[in-house]
Amino acid sequence: MNPQSLDGVLIVDKPADWTSHDVVAKVRKILRTRRVGHTGTLDPFATGVLVICVNRATRLVQYLTGDDKEYVATMRLGFATDTGDFTGQILPPVTDASHITPEQVQAVLKEFQGRIRQIPPMYSAKKVGGVRLHELARRGEEIERQAIEIEIKELELLPDLPAESVPAEEFSFRVVCTAGTYIRTLAEDIGKRLGAGAHLTALRRTRAGSGRLSKAVTLEALSDLAVQDRLAEVLVSMADAVELPEVILSEEECKAIAHGRSIPRTGDWDAGTLAKLCDAERNLLAIAEFDPVKSGWQPRAVLA
């Protein structure tokens, strides 16, 4: 099968020390297609789920970037760094945090659950005035950033590993959060609340929307599958990748949506509701928005 004829989503297990752009470039080379894009940047030191859209599925990126994320992170208390992780330069003061107990950390974690505000870190891909913050940071510049509202839906301290393998100042936690949350900033803020600096020593994304780590494929495995003409085994269909209400169309409606026409339908839908419109075989034909005034679905992205 020609990889360029495959339309769908790949769940890739990003290796450490690779940028998200590096992974996209590698997938383009493996699949021999330029139409590849990811749905949410992972820091180079981080690992785990990177959702990759292939060919026609690249039109779905805007509908996948807002999905919730889940991470497992390890933070070290005692000092902060200029990047918020172990790759950065140590920022004074350096304090002894060995006395901080898991019970103290757990108590502070509860304070960060729910809707909170975060200031994006300078070492991030966020753009201000058309320039990515990390580009300014590498030039030694720091600018004022506006706080953004995010939601921490779940936040729990993970059990300690054997004491001999983990420093007393390190704690691991699992977090489920809305898109746009910076886990490095979360760790720094937790450290401040505990009266000590903090930075991440490990970060692994375990879920992005419906894409879970258990379904992720390594780049090495993806390359092998391409050679064996078995890429379809790991490709998630466009319909399964998008977490939206599903509407099955009739044959006549399928023809209409393929030409970008609206689909008259009544139903108990709120104005502005997005849905995925599929044929009887669950092939995704379009993303549409419900318009109660016109009593139907208005196409926003046609994939048929």
Side-chain angles (χ1 to χ4, degrees):
M1 180 181 293
N2 182 356
Q4 296 183 25
S5 67
L6 292 174
D7 302 304
V9 172
L10 293 170
I11 313 301
V12 174
D13 187 351
K14 188 190 88 65
D17 301 325
W18 285 56
T19 67
S20 300
H21 180 75
D22 290 338
V23 174
V24 167
K26 181 66 174 180
V27 172
R28 283 174 176 159
K29 184 175 182 180
I30 292 172
L31 301 188
R32 304 195 303 279
T33 178
R34 296 294 302 171
R35 298 176 68 189
V36 176
H38 69 76
T39 68
T41 302
L42 259 181
D43 292 330
F45 84 96
T47 63
V49 171
L50 189 66
V51 178
I52 302 289
C53 295
V54 180
N55 293 323
R56 281 193 302 160
T58 54
R59 299 199 63 195
L60 299 176
V61 168
Q62 62 180 309
Y63 301 104
L64 298 175
T65 53
D67 287 342
D68 288 350
K69 310 293 192 295
E70 180 177 12
Y71 300 88
V72 171
T74 300
M75 65 178 176
R76 180 161 190 164
L77 302 176
F79 60 89
T81 69
D82 59 355
T83 61
D85 58 63
F86 69 90
T87 67
Q89 299 296 315
I90 296 175
L91 298 176
V94 177
T95 60
D96 180 7
S98 60
H99 64 283
I100 296 177
T101 67
E103 291 74 21
Q104 289 175 295
V105 176
Q106 181 62 60
V108 168
L109 293 187
K110 292 180 180 179
E111 300 178 16
F112 285 87
Q113 294 190 52
R115 293 190 176 278
I116 62 174
R117 297 183 69 80
Q118 273 192 344
I119 296 177
M122 282 300 302
Y123 280 90
S124 68
K126 186 177 181 62
K127 286 186 176 181
V128 175
V131 182
R132 297 191 184 278
L133 288 176
H134 65 72
E135 296 176 5
L136 297 175
R138 291 192 175 94
R139 296 204 297 260
E141 300 178 34
E142 182 168 354
I143 62 172
E144 185 177 351
R145 288 95 68 203
Q146 295 296 318
I148 58 174
E149 184 178 80
I150 52 106
E151 183 178 1
I152 304 297
K153 298 187 174 181
E154 298 178 36
L155 183 58
E156 64 173 345
L157 189 66
L158 296 178
D160 287 338
L161 294 173
E164 63 272 11
S165 62
V166 179
E169 300 86 357
E170 285 199 353
F171 298 90
S172 295
F173 58 89
R174 182 185 71 88
V175 57
V176 178
C177 54
T178 51
T181 301
Y182 292 96
I183 309 303
R184 286 173 293 142
T185 300
L186 178 62
E188 289 175 334
D189 291 343
I190 291 170
K192 291 175 183 176
R193 181 63 185 81
L194 288 163
H199 64 281
L200 290 184
T201 59
L203 180 63
R204 187 157 176 78
R205 185 189 283 165
T206 55
R207 180 173 67 85
S210 61
R212 298 182 178 276
L213 190 58
S214 59
K215 301 295 184 181
V217 61
T218 64
L219 290 171
E220 293 80 4
L222 186 66
S223 182
D224 290 341
L225 289 169
V227 171
Q228 299 168 32
D229 195 21
R230 295 168 52 200
L231 288 171
E233 294 179 17
V234 293
L235 197 72
V236 179
S237 72
M238 292 190 289
D240 286 336
V242 180
E243 294 189 311
L244 290 173
E246 185 171 317
V247 177
I248 301 298
L249 305 183
S250 66
E251 287 188 25
E252 288 303 314
E253 289 173 329
C254 290
K255 294 176 183 177
I257 204 68
H259 289 90
R261 297 198 292 269
S262 62
I263 304 298
R265 284 283 186 100
T266 58
D268 188 21
W269 303 97
D270 293 330
T273 296
L274 293 177
K276 50 189 178 186
L277 309 187
C278 302
D279 63 16
E281 286 73 42
R282 293 194 71 245
N283 294 306
L284 181 61
L285 305 181
I287 302 296
E289 181 180 348
F290 187 71
D291 185 341
V293 176
K294 297 181 180 179
S295 298
W297 293 100
Q298 311 300 312
R300 291 294 173 261
V302 177
L303 301 117

